[in-house]
Amino acid sequence: MSFGEDASLMELRQLELLGKVLKPGQEIRPHHIRGIGIVYSIGELTIREDRLLSLIRRGFFRVKGYISFPICPVCGDVDLSLNVYCPNCNSQDLLKVDIVIHYECHYADDISAFRRPEGLVCPVCERSLKVVGVDYGRPGIGYKCNNCLSVFQFPLIEFTCSRGHLLRLDELALHRSPVVVYEPSSTIRDSAAWKVLELVEALSSHGYKAEPFALLMGTVTRAEYVVDVLVHRSGKRFAVLVFNKSNFSPESFSRPITLALDLQMPILVLMSKEYAEGVTKFLRQEGKSEQRIQNLFPSELVRIVIYENEADMVVKLLNVLEKL
């Protein structure tokens, strides 16, 4: 059975993108997009975390580590807004200031309140502040409440999720999202889909325009079909199907002629040696496998190519394309 029959078009397109934009060993890190959630960016594709977890289970990625994102413990929302308050009166009307503290009278304020033409002078006791660390301190940037005028280094901090839950810092929950490395498993690399992508890369390197997992519409029935590869050459189009599984089914075997008649284009069928043996065994035929199978189809509509390995598949397909 060709790969296009047993997977959704979206999955195929994502698989195509992974093979094009990622290199084995490449690291992908999660990040947060407001209104969407935790996502992973792969080329131009943004994949939600649940979709990437599915790709991990299917063997495309290895988990390298984790990144923790704060979330609402009530609803699990990751879209959090930070709110700051005055610790004295709970006002949110705050100013960011450069704090100066007069040690003798313990007055603290923004440095602008201490500046005079003659230097720094305490606005409360009118004493000159000459030596930092002796007369006065400079703890750095802090905050001033524009409501009650109190000065402090750290405001009260609370968070609000998009559903309105108000949370303190110590009330936040953490969600751990995996950091992944693109390392397709041997099962994935041996799959029909992976072979299609490798085939497209080989055809492209020989100057052919090859489109993987192309969606086509029948000229007679108007039905939609997904073909493994659509090859463009000299204004003509050829559909390629890859049958690399050893198990034979009459339903899949009849698909090439159905496509050829409905799409009105030649169909090139690449069969692994194991699949071809399954065909001849089912039909109880003797003789050379490729010729026996070819005799079952009109050669002007369907061409059969039996291959032993990936390199043999590419060579034989190129030979057939050159003669068409």
Side-chain angles (χ1 to χ4, degrees), residues 200-209 314-315 318 322:
V200 168
E201 184 177 351
L203 289 171
S204 299
S205 68
H206 285 80
Y208 287 93
K209 180 182 177 182
V314 173
V315 171
L318 290 173
E322 286 298 321

Side-chain angles (χ1 to χ4, degrees), residues 82-100:
L82 175 65
N83 310 299
V84 292
Y85 302 87
C86 171
N88 183 52
C89 69
N90 285 327
S91 171
Q92 289 185 279
D93 186 5
L94 307 181
L95 301 172
K96 198 171 183 179
V97 296
D98 185 1
I99 300 176
V100 169

Side-chain angles (χ1 to χ4, degrees), residues 124-153:
V124 174
C125 65
E126 296 294 326
R127 293 182 181 274
S128 295
L129 309 182
K130 299 184 180 299
V131 181
V132 64
V134 177
D135 299 324
Y136 66 99
R138 294 285 302 274
I141 299 299
Y143 299 86
K144 182 176 182 178
C145 177
N146 205 38
N147 181 55
C148 69
L149 303 182
S150 61
V151 178
F152 42 90
Q153 276 191 283

Side-chain angles (χ1 to χ4, degrees), residues 284-316:
R284 298 180 181 179
Q285 292 183 335
E286 296 181 356
K288 190 176 180 182
S289 297
E290 189 163 336
Q291 188 58 52
R292 283 178 302 173
I293 297 174
Q294 181 63 70
N295 290 339
L296 300 173
F297 299 97
S299 58
E300 67 275 12
L301 295 178
V302 179
R303 295 292 298 271
I304 303 297
V305 177
I306 298 177
Y307 65 91
E308 294 189 7
N309 50 54
E310 283 73 12
D312 185 44
M313 176 176 65
V314 173
V315 171
K316 287 187 174 181

Side-chain angles (χ1 to χ4, degrees), residues 17-88:
L17 180 62
L18 292 179
K20 282 186 175 181
V21 304
L22 293 179
K23 298 179 180 179
Q26 186 171 340
E27 180 181 287
I28 308 294
R29 300 175 68 85
H31 59 98
H32 169 232
I33 296 180
R34 193 167 189 85
I36 298 178
I38 300 171
V39 300
Y40 295 77
S41 296
I42 301 177
E44 298 180 356
L45 182 67
T46 298
I47 299 181
R48 294 176 65 97
E49 184 180 25
D50 56 350
R51 174 59 185 153
L52 188 103
L53 294 176
S54 174
L55 293 176
I56 293 173
R57 290 191 295 268
R58 289 169 56 191
F60 287 96
F61 294 96
R62 171 179 62 84
V63 176
K64 178 181 179 181
Y66 291 88
I67 291 178
S68 295
F69 293 89
I71 63 171
C72 175
V74 180
C75 63
D77 187 12
V78 73
D79 289 338
L80 303 176
S81 298
L82 175 65
N83 310 299
V84 292
Y85 302 87
C86 171
N88 183 52

